[in-house]
Amino acid sequence: MEEVPAGTAQESAQGARGLRGFLRRLTSTKAELEAEELQKTTGEEGATPIRKCAARRRACVAGTLRTVTLRPRGGAPALEAELYDGSDMISLVWLGRRRIAGIEPGRLVRAEGLVSVQDGRKVMFNPRYELRGGA
Amino acid sequence: MKQAVLQLPKRFLVGRPLRTGQLGETLLPKKLALPVFCSDPLSSVAYATEEILLALSLGGLAMFALSWWVGAGVVFLLLVVTASYRQTCHAYPNGGGAYAVSRANLGENASLVAASALLIDYVMTVAVSVAAGVANVISAFPALSPHAVAISLALIAVLAVMNLRGVKESGTAFAIPTYGFVASVLLMLVVGLLRVATGHPPTAESAAFGVRAVHGTAGAAVVLLAMRAFAQGCTALTGVEAVSNGVPNFKPPKSRNAASTLTIMGLLAVVMFAGITVLARTARVHLAGDPAQLIGAPHGYAQKTVIAQLGAAVFGHGSILFFLVQAFTAAILVLAANTAFNGFPILASILGGDGYLPRQFARRGDRLVFSNGIVILSLLAGALIWAFGASTTRLIQLYIIGVFVSFTLSQGGMVRHWTGELRRLADPAGRRSVHHARAINLVGAVLTGLVLVIVLLTKFMHGAWIVVVTMPLVFLMMKGIQRHYRRVAAELEPGEEGVPLPSRIHAVVLVSRVHTPTLRALAFARATRPHTLTALSVATSPEEADRLEREWAERDIPVPLTILDSPYRDITGPVLDYVTRIRTRSPRDVVCVFIPEYVVGRWWEHLLHNHSALRLKARLLFRPGVMMTSVPWQLGSAEAALARHTEGAEFAARTRVRSGTP
């Protein structure tokens, strides 16, 4: 379940035909398989791979929600989720919300917003989001 | 309950555990030391003559005439080895086993060769002695012969249990059979020789049988046969080193007493061995390795041991004295096995302490004996007996090599030791005595080395190769174990500046549902005041995640709840992934994972609980910088199990009151 560097996943996406591709499909780990599938959706949604998103630019990303964190009452209300699209991870933060129906782990989501970088992690605040399909 | 059930038979067999303070040293006077340490060499007299005759029988009846010469050779060797070991007693008053002597004088590798030879040898001592003892029992009661293996294994088990109880080598227990054996054999010899002198020589039951030759008897073949017989007869020398090992257990003056005990032992062994050989010859005891070689034996004739045949010939078959001789012989043979039960665990404990064997061997058990060594020894000996069908003749082929390897090494070590002394000493009187001692040890070393070669040559094809293969394996194993211990020790050695303080602690509490164990784990985690605290759950199904979320909000738990997606429905993977991500983000930080766990009271409940927690724990162990904290929750059945222990009942009642659970 490690994140897979984009390069290898793309290579495997391209070389999925022939005997070599067959062998690779047999030997690849679950993580590689998942990354490959997710990258395919990125293309279908017409979104930018997260790895290619630069800071301080608007971007449209698509992938599944890896984690959803519920903050306890008391502090500033915020809902945080991590979106993974097979190339990288980005945190989506909705300030002022404690819960959004449909934002749950495993959900396929398309999000659009300004990408910023905090402590080397990509974050998107209050993104515009679309829930796509099932989990 | 479970504990009590397991403990009951152990208590019954092994007895109450002893406190460390109860470890006492009892010093032995000579008259008790002789039976304690010399039962092994004295007992080998019981089968040495027989083995010589068996080897000679291959050449047919005429070859038995050689038994005189072979016997004389063995007697000479016995005298030389005894004299050599007397020197060791004086030089190493703290116990000079082959391992200690060669470690001090010949270096690590030689000492390990000696140690592996000795370890193998102790196992062989048990196997051979027990097998020989059982053979004597069977000679007295031939009906038992189909059960030889079972009887041998039972005897080994009895010996193991006795030693686990820790029979404090109580002299009397040893003294009666040893002195009984010596007295009865000497009586048998005297009566037998008197009858020879008065013209009524005793005649063995097998005197009339012929022996068909299956081995060439021309020229070199005779020499080969004689050498083989000699090699077999050298079993009479086994166990001589026991005295030099046990010098610290003697009453002072230790070295003097040990040396004189050795002398007495040597003389007794020589007299008994020579007497039995002479008597066996005059009584015309005829034996054959294969009963089919015997000519003229009645159908279904079972061969008896030499001692049994002599006893029957001298005292008359079925007489009380005959059974007495048999009983004492069997007893001393079993006692000789016990010598190995003293030697093996101690050697193993020394090796364990030096890091050549697993450390557990150096630890004393409940009864202050080295239990692990005793258990291993009896298992190995039992396996040998089982594999060789409790046959003394086949087992003995493996036996002597180890003895002579350790003899040669320890004598060689002694020569080095005296040479070193010579360099140090200046006064002529001292130098003369050291020269004298060195000469004795040199003769001993050369002779035992020579015998080792003879034994190897003559026995290699008859099974000795097993030992020749095993010894290097044991040696390599010990080297490997030591290398491992050294490497681990070097790895664990703290550096100059010690260990850096972790900069932050990230606490992660694993949550599956909102219930009391979870809440308790959360409360505990909050009380440890980590820098960050997250409750972690894995969503294996959306419904469950939803329910958890709702309950979390309802209970208003002041800890953020992170729910992980698990696209492939496993729990371990996403958690490991999450923990690894925290680590890569901040490598100097430490992640502390709190795992709520059920403690169950019945064995089958284990099947129903804790599986994902256990799996996760096993995987997390391999991650650096991840600490795990189990937060146990004692289920009702566990408390009931605790209450079933009488000593636990009060405790359980108290904790129940304190924790406020009904």
Side-chain angles (χ1 to χ4, degrees), chain B residues 129-141:
Chain B
S129 302
V130 169
V134 171
N136 271 291
V137 172
I138 287 170
S139 291
F141 306 100

Side-chain angles (χ1 to χ4, degrees), chain A residues 106-124:
Chain A
R107 170 71 73 157
L108 196 60
V109 168
R110 185 184 141 102
E112 212 180 321
L114 188 74
V115 179
S116 60
V117 174
Q118 285 188 346
D119 303 334
R121 296 161 61 204
K122 288 171 181 156
V123 188
M124 204 182 259

Side-chain angles (χ1 to χ4, degrees), chain B residues 246-265:
Chain B
V247 181
N249 296 336
F250 278 83
K251 273 203 173 142
K254 298 189 174 197
S255 296
R256 268 265 303 285
N257 280 339
S260 6
T261 308
L262 204 51
T263 314
I264 299 169
M265 184 272 296

Side-chain angles (χ1 to χ4, degrees), chain B residues 160-297:
Chain B
V161 169
M162 270 171 57
N163 280 284
L164 284 174
R165 283 192 82 99
V167 205
K168 187 100 211 73
E169 312 155 327
S170 51
T172 38
F174 276 73
I176 296 168
T178 310
Y179 285 121
F181 173 72
V182 171
S184 60
V185 167
L186 288 181
L187 180 69
M188 182 176 85
L189 293 177
V190 168
V191 172
L193 293 177
L194 270 180
R195 283 179 55 179
V196 173
T198 53
H200 302 285
T203 312
E205 60 176 42
S206 57
F209 304 159
V211 177
R212 195 184 312 121
V214 290
H215 191 284
T217 50
V222 174
V223 179
L224 202 65
L225 205 59
M227 266 167 51
R228 202 166 143 192
F230 175 67
Q232 296 284 59
C234 287
T235 39
L237 274 84
T238 56
V240 172
E241 78 277 1
V243 175
S244 67
N245 277 329
V247 181
N249 296 336
F250 278 83
K251 273 203 173 142
K254 298 189 174 197
S255 296
R256 268 265 303 285
N257 280 339
S260 6
T261 308
L262 204 51
T263 314
I264 299 169
M265 184 272 296
L267 292 178
L268 278 178
V270 164
V271 168
M272 292 198 301
F273 172 72
I276 290 175
T277 311
V278 167
L279 204 60
R281 184 75 198 110
T282 43
R284 300 204 302 285
V285 174
H286 292 164
L287 289 170
D290 180 4
Q293 270 176 265
L294 288 176
I295 303 166

Side-chain angles (χ1 to χ4, degrees), chain B residues 224-549:
Chain B
L224 202 65
L225 205 59
M227 266 167 51
R228 202 166 143 192
F230 175 67
Q232 296 284 59
C234 287
T235 39
L237 274 84
T238 56
V240 172
E241 78 277 1
V243 175
S244 67
N245 277 329
V247 181
N249 296 336
F250 278 83
K251 273 203 173 142
K254 298 189 174 197
S255 296
R256 268 265 303 285
N257 280 339
S260 6
T261 308
L262 204 51
T263 314
I264 299 169
M265 184 272 296
L267 292 178
L268 278 178
V270 164
V271 168
M272 292 198 301
F273 172 72
I276 290 175
T277 311
V278 167
L279 204 60
R281 184 75 198 110
T282 43
R284 300 204 302 285
V285 174
H286 292 164
L287 289 170
D290 180 4
Q293 270 176 265
L294 288 176
I295 303 166
H299 185 71
Y301 171 73
Q303 295 199 71
K304 304 214 171 86
T305 59
V306 169
I307 294 265
Q309 295 201 24
L310 286 182
V314 173
F315 298 127
H317 194 81
S319 66
I320 293 171
L321 281 172
F322 164 74
F323 280 112
L324 213 57
V325 171
Q326 285 309 100
F328 278 130
T329 309
I332 198 176
L333 283 167
V334 172
L335 273 193
N338 203 62
T339 317
F341 274 101
N342 281 329
F344 184 95
I346 290 175
L347 179 63
S349 77
I350 295 173
L351 287 169
D354 290 349
Y356 293 111
L357 283 181
R359 296 255 161 81
Q360 294 89 302
F361 283 113
R363 216 158 290 149
R364 288 179 190 272
D366 270 1
R367 302 281 293 183
L368 293 173
V369 293
F370 297 107
S371 335
N372 290 326
I374 293 173
V375 170
I376 292 278
L377 173 66
S378 38
L379 288 180
L380 289 176
L384 263 177
I385 291 227
W386 185 68
F388 284 82
S391 150
T392 319
T393 321
R394 284 171 64 203
L395 280 167
I396 226 160
Q397 304 291 348
L398 315 184
Y399 188 12
I400 318 176
I401 296 179
V403 181
F404 277 92
V405 168
S406 58
F407 275 163
T408 311
L409 280 170
S410 88
Q411 299 308 314
M414 287 307 295
V415 173
R416 277 284 280 277
H417 170 81
W418 295 126
T419 314
E421 288 283 284
L422 275 183
R423 236 174 267 136
R424 210 162 49 76
L425 277 177
D427 78 299
R431 286 180 70 88
R432 210 173 313 124
S433 75
V434 169
H435 266 299
H436 182 72
R438 189 169 70 156
I440 293 179
N441 279 129
L442 189 64
V443 172
V446 170
L447 263 184
T448 48
L450 204 67
V451 174
L452 176 63
V453 174
I454 294 179
V455 170
L456 265 179
L457 285 180
T458 54
K459 292 185 156 192
F460 191 81
M461 291 317 293
H462 301 281
W465 60 270
I466 299 176
V467 177
V468 176
V469 170
T470 316
M471 246 170 57
L473 288 183
V474 175
F475 175 86
L476 287 179
M477 181 191 76
M478 292 198 288
K479 286 287 254 189
I481 289 173
Q482 206 235 4
R483 204 173 319 125
H484 171 81
Y485 274 139
R486 258 199 211 145
R487 205 173 46 222
V488 169
E491 202 179 310
L492 302 185
E493 185 63 32
E496 279 288 299
E497 62 277 359
V499 176
L501 210 60
S503 46
R504 284 159 172 279
I505 295 178
H506 301 282
V508 172
V509 184
L510 291 182
V511 169
S512 58
R513 302 215 319 257
V514 178
H515 50 29
T516 330
T518 308
L519 293 181
R520 212 161 72 104
L522 278 168
F524 171 59
R526 283 171 61 202
T528 60
R529 300 180 168 275
H531 288 88
T532 66
L533 175 60
T534 322
L536 197 64
S537 183
V538 179
T540 41
S541 78
E543 297 78 41
E544 232 172 276
D546 199 46
R547 205 179 74 187
L548 178 64
E549 242 174 73

